[in-house]
Amino acid sequence: LAAWRYIGATGGFLFIAIQLILLVEFAHKWNKNWTAGANHKQMWNGLLALVTLILYSIAVAALVLMALFYTRAEGCMYNKVLIGVNGGLCLFVSLVAISPCVQNRQPHSGLLQSGIISCYVMYLTFSALSSKPPETVLDENNQNITICVPEFSQGLHRDENLVTGLGTTILFGCILYSCLTSTTRASSEALRGIYAAPETEVARCCFCCVPDGDADAEDRIANRGGQTVIYDEKKGTVYSYAYFHFVFFLASLYVMMTVTHWFHYESAQIEKFFTGTWSIFWIKMASCWVCVCLYLWTLIAPLCCPTREFSV
């Protein structure tokens, strides 16, 4: 058990880190793809501005709502500090992304990436605050009352079986989706630092799908009457076989650590899986800060190492 504690913690952190790296890569890929289209059509500039405005509106609204529902005049010091710190980090990375020194080295850097990161940081902040153990104080009648949580959420945990079943289903669904999206060819190439050249980018709304050029090529083959073979794994897989199973191995460790409250298995009960613990709270907050640091490093790395070639 002592060995599995460290193995599970290491694997769980690696699984979280892979998802955060791919999130940062997704933000840069989105902005680079739509920026490539802005050179030919002004419509893409309008879409960039609209999506950026929506993302920042969501982030600001989430920050305001968390300040209203998860803080109060007396107490809730943890919540006040963390909401302020995370909001300040989002503002900081947004200013860094559009600073002249970063723009000179990375013309594709912009507010779209920082908007995506800001929304994700606000989601992790909300998730962490929801996972924090409730704080109680004595009221004027010397009765314990729960503070620093929304009043309407206190009645959601009355039917613990319903909450546990629904929450567990969502959790495993998210983990399965993360595994499948992390093991695609594009994702594995991104983790190795292999990206498409900017001049080969074809702007499209759903930039994760097959480019129009590839689709036209397949149509031309079909018109010639030849057989189109998309996946032929007779000699080798079209994905990284070892990486695929390695990610699922990390996900298994992450699930193990999650259902045992990060190896506090003595007090772990599935019926109280979503009542909140300090370990889950700090894991989510640490993930939030790691995500900000990863994105910030992609911005300042070309400045710190000017002789190296960076591409995102």
Side-chain angles (χ1 to χ4, degrees):
L1 290 179
W4 271 113
R5 178 190 298 271
Y6 296 103
I7 295 175
T10 303
F13 277 118
L14 282 176
F15 181 75
I16 294 174
I18 288 176
Q19 308 312 313
L20 297 179
I21 292 173
L22 293 179
L23 174 69
V24 174
E25 185 270 338
F26 169 80
H28 284 292
K29 181 180 179 181
W30 186 356
N31 186 79
K32 183 171 65 174
N33 184 269
W34 282 21
T35 303
N39 298 327
H40 307 285
K41 290 184 180 180
Q42 292 299 319
M43 175 192 70
W44 295 106
N45 279 326
L47 284 176
L48 276 171
L50 177 62
V51 173
T52 302
L53 179 61
I54 292 175
L55 290 174
Y56 273 101
S57 299
I58 294 174
V60 172
L63 185 67
V64 172
L65 290 175
M66 284 188 291
L68 289 176
F69 290 113
Y70 284 93
T71 62
R72 53 181 290 172
E74 302 85 13
C76 304
M77 186 55 62
Y78 268 119
N79 296 9
K80 293 176 183 177
V81 172
L82 293 174
I83 291 174
V85 168
N86 291 348
L89 288 175
C90 293
L91 177 62
F92 176 70
V93 295
S94 300
L95 295 177
V96 171
I98 59 175
S99 61
C101 54
V102 172
Q103 289 290 318
N104 291 334
R105 293 284 298 177
Q106 297 193 71
H108 294 291
S109 176
L111 291 176
L112 179 65
Q113 298 102 308
S114 54
I116 295 174
I117 300 301
S118 297
C119 285
Y120 189 68
V121 167
M122 290 298 104
Y123 161 73
L124 284 180
T125 305
F126 165 74
S127 181
L129 294 179
S130 302
S131 302
K132 188 168 69 68
E135 299 181 29
T136 58
V137 295
L138 293 176
D139 60 2
E140 58 274 4
N141 299 323
N142 290 328
Q143 294 181 347
N144 287 326
I145 59 172
T146 303
I147 61 173
C148 307
V149 294
E151 295 182 359
F152 56 82
S153 68
Q154 298 181 21
L156 295 179
H157 296 279
R158 292 175 181 172
D159 191 347
E160 293 182 346
N161 293 330
L162 176 62
V163 174
T164 302
L166 180 61
T168 306
T169 302
I170 295 175
L171 172 68
F172 280 87
C174 293
I175 293 174
L176 181 61
Y177 174 78
S178 298
C179 290
L180 295 176
T181 54
S182 301
T183 52
T184 60
R185 176 187 291 178
S187 298
S188 58
E189 289 179 350
L191 290 174
R192 298 197 305 270
I194 303 174
Y195 303 95
E199 57 271 12
T200 63
E201 285 287 341
V202 179
R204 52 197 182 276
C205 291
C206 188
F207 58 90
C208 295
C209 297
V210 178
D212 296 336
D214 295 348
D216 294 338
E218 293 176 7
D219 292 339
R220 288 194 296 269
I221 295 174
N223 292 332
R224 291 202 305 264
Q227 183 180 5
T228 302
V229 179
I230 299 177
Y231 295 111
D232 185 4
E233 298 186 353
K234 183 179 293 184
K235 296 182 179 180
T237 58
V238 297
Y239 61 93
S240 176
Y241 187 82
Y243 176 65
F244 177 85
H245 290 281
F246 178 68
V247 170
F248 271 86
F249 167 70
L250 295 181
S252 301
L253 295 178
Y254 176 75
V255 171
M256 179 191 73
M257 299 303 289
T258 304
V259 299
T260 59
H261 287 172
W262 288 85
F263 228 76
H264 293 85
Y265 51 84
E266 297 88 353
S267 59
Q269 298 179 12
I270 193 64
E271 292 82 5
K272 299 181 179 180
F273 187 53
F274 294 94
T275 56
T277 62
W278 284 111
S279 57
I280 297 177
F281 169 76
W282 285 114
I283 289 295
K284 292 181 179 179
M285 292 308 303
S287 302
C288 175
W289 297 330
V290 170
C291 181
V292 173
C293 291
L294 285 173
Y295 173 63
L296 188 61
W297 174 246
T298 63
L299 297 178
I300 65 175
L303 303 178
C304 299
C305 307
T307 58
R308 292 188 58 185
E309 185 68 23
F310 292 90
S311 62
V312 289

